[in-house]
Amino acid sequence: MKKAFKNVAIIGKYNASEMRDSILEMCTFLASEQVTVFLETATASHCNLSGFATLGMDEIGEKVDLAVVLGGDGTMLSVARKLADSHIPLIGVNQGRVGFLTDINSANMLDDMRHLLAGDYTTEERILLNATVFRDGQQIMTGRAMNDVVINKAGMSRLIELEVNIDGQFVHRQRSDGLILATPTGTTAYALSAGGPILHPTLDAITLVPICPHTLSNRPIAIHSNSKVEITLVHGDDAGVHLDGHLQLALLAGDQLLVQRDEKTVSLLHPIGHSHYDMLRQKLNWG
């Protein structure tokens, strides 16, 4: 039997004042369905909403059994990373532009939510990446990414040189603008723009996609998600490591980046009938 959701958190995109009506509509609907509704604290503040209990992000994982995210993919990525340890399922309502992760259309959100609350949904597990940076043998940074881990140069700086090892085996040195390590979820993001393949989101794989490589034979490759990828910055000015598009750390020559599958996953719920291929055809304007 599908899980019944009795305690639901509503999370809107950062500074989501323009989404106030949609968030209020969702909260009111859920309350009418005898669901206990919690508004994420910052969402309630930005939208000037009262009358519903509020929870901080650090409390949501402990007190709710479902989170509904209203926003774009960036909002979903941020929420997924923060709630990964609690592993509560997420539903995404698209209030952004493309919306690969937030697949419920805002115009149909109440009908879809009614079916989801009744147990008419499918569950999809998405992998996360864990990235750790070592300098002089000491760990100086660690973090998670749902889309991608990127090591790249800044602005108009010269090409950087990277040495790549997978599971202890030397692969190559490359001179390029950088390297993208993407989950299947992330293959429709930056990696796609850089010429990488689209992977089905349930595959146990990671793609390595070079960014503007000096040697054109440096092509994207896909590896098993259990692989450990070690990247050494051999040379490069103004290089940095980004997790899901956010700069985490400026790198120095000799720094080592270890990327591997995180022990946690993200659970996404979809309405019955959801098709990844229909979504790709719609979002990418395929014929």
Side-chain angles (χ1 to χ4, degrees):
M1 179 179 292
K2 292 288 183 69
K3 181 177 181 180
F5 303 110
K6 296 298 184 183
N7 301 288
V8 178
I10 306 298
I11 308 169
K13 71 177 183 179
Y14 176 73
N15 204 12
S17 57
E18 73 277 10
M19 294 168 48
R20 184 182 189 278
D21 290 347
S22 293
I23 292 172
L24 179 58
E25 185 179 16
M26 177 64 76
C27 291
T28 303
F29 166 76
L30 290 173
S32 72
E33 295 289 314
Q34 310 306 310
V35 170
T36 301
V37 180
F38 297 93
L39 265 174
E40 186 265 334
T41 302
T43 301
S45 175
H46 292 143
C47 295
N48 193 27
L49 285 171
S50 59
F52 298 95
T54 60
L55 292 174
M57 286 296 293
D58 57 341
E59 301 173 287
I60 286 176
E62 301 174 359
K63 298 185 178 180
V64 308
D65 44 29
L66 175 69
V68 179
V69 182
L70 290 89
D73 284 350
T75 307
M76 179 65 90
L77 290 171
S78 176
V79 171
R81 291 192 304 270
K82 293 174 181 176
L83 296 181
D85 285 326
S86 63
H87 199 246
I88 63 171
L90 307 178
I91 293 172
V93 178
N94 186 23
Q95 300 279 336
R97 292 185 291 273
V98 181
F100 284 103
L101 289 172
T102 50
D103 60 319
I104 292 180
N105 190 298
S106 58
N108 303 320
M109 65 179 185
L110 300 188
D111 285 340
D112 284 338
M113 281 302 306
R114 186 175 289 107
H115 288 294
L116 287 159
L117 292 175
D120 296 330
Y121 61 83
T122 59
T123 304
E124 197 171 69
E125 295 295 327
R126 302 289 184 98
I127 70 170
L128 298 167
L129 295 179
N130 181 277
T132 306
V133 175
F134 297 90
R135 179 173 296 163
D136 299 325
Q138 301 296 315
Q139 178 180 315
I140 60 172
M141 186 221 84
T142 188
R144 285 176 174 147
M146 186 174 180
N147 261 355
D148 47 42
V149 177
V150 180
I151 178 171
N152 63 353
K153 70 183 186 66
M156 297 302 292
S157 301
R158 292 181 295 174
L159 297 179
I160 60 177
E161 185 173 348
L162 306 172
E163 180 176 301
V164 180
N165 289 266
I166 300 175
D167 292 330
Q169 299 183 59
F170 174 71
V171 178
H172 58 56
R173 280 195 179 194
Q174 67 167 249
R175 296 180 67 237
S176 62
D177 282 354
L179 181 66
I180 303 167
L181 294 95
T183 65
T185 300
T187 59
T188 53
Y190 187 18
L192 181 61
S193 299
I198 297 175
L199 301 185
H200 192 278
T202 59
L203 285 177
D204 286 327
I206 301 170
T207 61
L208 281 69
V209 183
I211 307 170
C212 299
H214 182 264
T215 302
L216 297 181
S217 58
N218 283 141
R219 307 307 301 162
I221 62 173
I223 61 176
H224 197 279
S225 63
N226 289 336
S227 300
K228 294 183 179 181
V229 184
E230 297 171 281
I231 303 166
T232 301
L233 178 63
V234 178
H235 174 79
D237 299 324
D238 297 324
V241 59
H242 297 73
L243 304 185
D244 286 345
H246 298 281
L247 177 64
Q248 301 296 310
L249 183 71
L251 298 177
L252 302 177
D255 286 352
Q256 294 179 310
L257 172 64
L258 172 64
V259 180
Q260 57 191 327
R261 178 173 175 167
D262 196 87
E263 62 181 9
K264 301 295 184 179
T265 60
V266 174
S267 182
L268 300 183
L269 303 189
H270 301 293
I272 294 293
H274 168 79
S275 166
H276 180 66
Y277 304 110
D278 286 347
M279 182 271 295
L280 289 177
R281 188 166 56 251
Q282 176 188 358
K283 304 297 183 182
L284 299 178
N285 296 314
W286 291 347

